Structures are given as C-alpha cells and as structure tokens.
C-alpha cells in the first residue's frame, strides 16, 4: 500500500514516519526506529514476544497495522528501561527482579514478558500469583521458566510498593 505519514508517540517522544500503513507495528518499531528490544517470534499473535503497550494496553505488535497507531502512545521495552534509568537505576525494577530471580534463560521472551507484567502492575500493583499467571498467559517461554517469571513479577510488585509506601 502507498506510504503515508503516521504520527504517534514512542516512549514519551513524538514520532513521525512515512510508512505503509499495513506494515506491522512490530516491523515499524524494529526497522524504522531501531527499537529491536521488541522481538519477532511467530508473527501471528501466538507467542507474545512482540508485546508492547498501546495506549496503556498490552498488545501483540505483530498484529497491529502501523496505520492504527496514528495519534496513539506506544511504550516498548526500551521505554521501560529508560523509566528505570530516570529513577537512577540501570533498569526498571521489573527487569531487575527478572535477573535476580533467574527468570531470564535465553532471554528471547523476556521483553514481551516484562511488557505484559508492566501492564498488569500498572492496573493492579499487588497481584495474586493467579493474576500474574493470567497476565502472562499469552507469552510463551520456550525455556519454560514460568515459575521464576511469576516469582520475579511478584517480587517486583513488592519492591515497587515498598518504594511508594
Ligand atoms: S511475534 Fe507477535 S505474537 Fe508472536
Ligand atoms: S527465557 Fe528463553 S524463551 Fe523465555
């Protein structure tokens, strides 16, 4: 399809790009903005490695046409890392917990897992283990580190609550 201008916000900054509106948001982020933290897995909405937040909702970016992000806010894993850095840390507390709890094996699923967990904790700062499992149910980990991932999210929730309290 003919390229058109698409204006939106990425990680808190205004973005403008000429692109085919049928291109996936996943490709737009990786190829046009070099935001390669968002991973490409199945390309059909089944693995969750491409998860980003679109106006605060976790979505599979491989299924979102670029034209649909016009006027919207996109948050990627790079934005989450930067949020941690702005608070004087190397990374976001969620990412820190993933490392500390051994929830990163090959790491391919990690950005998508973190984004799903981020969306959960934003809406529900103190989730139950079941709620964590539900939130990451669309994210596949081929290394099967689900238990550690669940623990990492619960630990991050605790840390983030303590910091606020
Ligand atoms: S690459 Fe998007 S869900 Fe698998
Ligand atoms: S850590 Fe390897 S896919 Fe999850």
């Amino acid at each position: 399809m003919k390229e058109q201008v698409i204006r939106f916000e990425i990680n808190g900054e205004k973005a403008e790009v000429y692109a085919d509106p049928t291109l996936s948001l996943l490709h737009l982020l990786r190829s046009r903005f070099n935001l390669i933290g968002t991973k490409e897995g199945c390309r059909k909405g089944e693995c969750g490695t491409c998860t980003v937040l679109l106006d605060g909702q976790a979505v599979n970016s491989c299924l979102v046409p670029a034209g649909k992000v016009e006027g919207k806010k996109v948050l990627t894993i790079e934005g989450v890392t930067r949020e941690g850095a702005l608070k004087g840390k190397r990374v976001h507390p969620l990412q820190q917990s993933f490392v500390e709890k051994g929830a990163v094996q090959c790491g391919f699923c990690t950005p998508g897992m973190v984004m799903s967990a981020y969306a959960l904790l934003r809406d529900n700062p103190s989730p139950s283990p079941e709620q964590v499992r539900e939130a990451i149910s669309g994210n596949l980990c081929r290394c099967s580190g689900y238990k550690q991932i669940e623990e990492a999210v619960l630990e991050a929730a605790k840390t983030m609550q303590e910091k606020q309290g």
Side-chain angles (χ1 to χ4, degrees):
M1 199 183 258
K2 198 163 160 274
E3 293 199 342
Q4 66 181 53
V5 66
I6 302 168
R7 294 186 187 88
F8 62 119
E9 197 182 290
I10 303 180
N11 299 331
E13 289 178 9
K14 288 197 187 324
E16 184 174 312
V17 66
Y18 276 94
D20 176 345
T22 63
L23 192 72
S24 72
L25 173 59
L26 170 64
H27 276 108
L28 192 75
L29 293 170
R30 289 180 59 89
S31 65
R32 305 294 293 274
F33 293 93
N34 201 29
L35 293 168
I36 54 173
T38 305
K39 302 296 179 208
E40 179 177 337
C42 66
R43 279 184 282 170
K44 48 185 184 180
E46 287 174 1
C47 72
T49 61
C50 65
T51 305
V52 300
L53 266 59
L54 185 60
D55 279 351
Q57 299 294 315
V59 295
N60 290 323
S61 61
C62 66
L63 296 183
V64 178
K68 291 274 183 212
V69 303
E70 173 72 36
K72 298 199 169 151
K73 292 183 177 157
V74 176
L75 181 72
T76 70
I77 191 69
E78 289 86 354
V80 171
T81 305
R82 194 165 66 184
E83 204 180 289
L86 289 173
K87 292 185 179 138
K89 304 283 177 206
R90 268 192 61 225
V91 290
H92 189 276
L94 255 171
Q95 295 165 302
Q96 188 65 38
S97 287
F98 268 64
V99 173
E100 285 170 6
K101 290 286 176 185
V104 181
Q105 293 182 49
C106 79
F108 193 74
C109 71
T110 309
M113 287 285 185
V114 169
M115 294 312 294
S116 292
Y118 182 99
L120 169 70
L121 298 188
R122 177 182 271 184
D123 294 342
N124 177 2
S126 190
S128 66
E130 293 71 28
Q131 287 169 327
V132 172
R133 286 199 286 276
E134 170 66 26
I136 60 168
S137 60
N139 295 79
L140 302 183
C141 175
R142 60 191 172 189
C143 307
S144 304
Y146 294 106
K147 188 71 197 149
Q148 294 93 317
I149 291 167
E150 181 188 315
E151 285 172 9
V153 179
L154 291 170
E155 182 65 25
K158 228 174 9 173
T159 311
M160 289 161 71
Q161 291 254 292
E162 283 166 7
K163 284 204 178 114
Q164 282 182 351

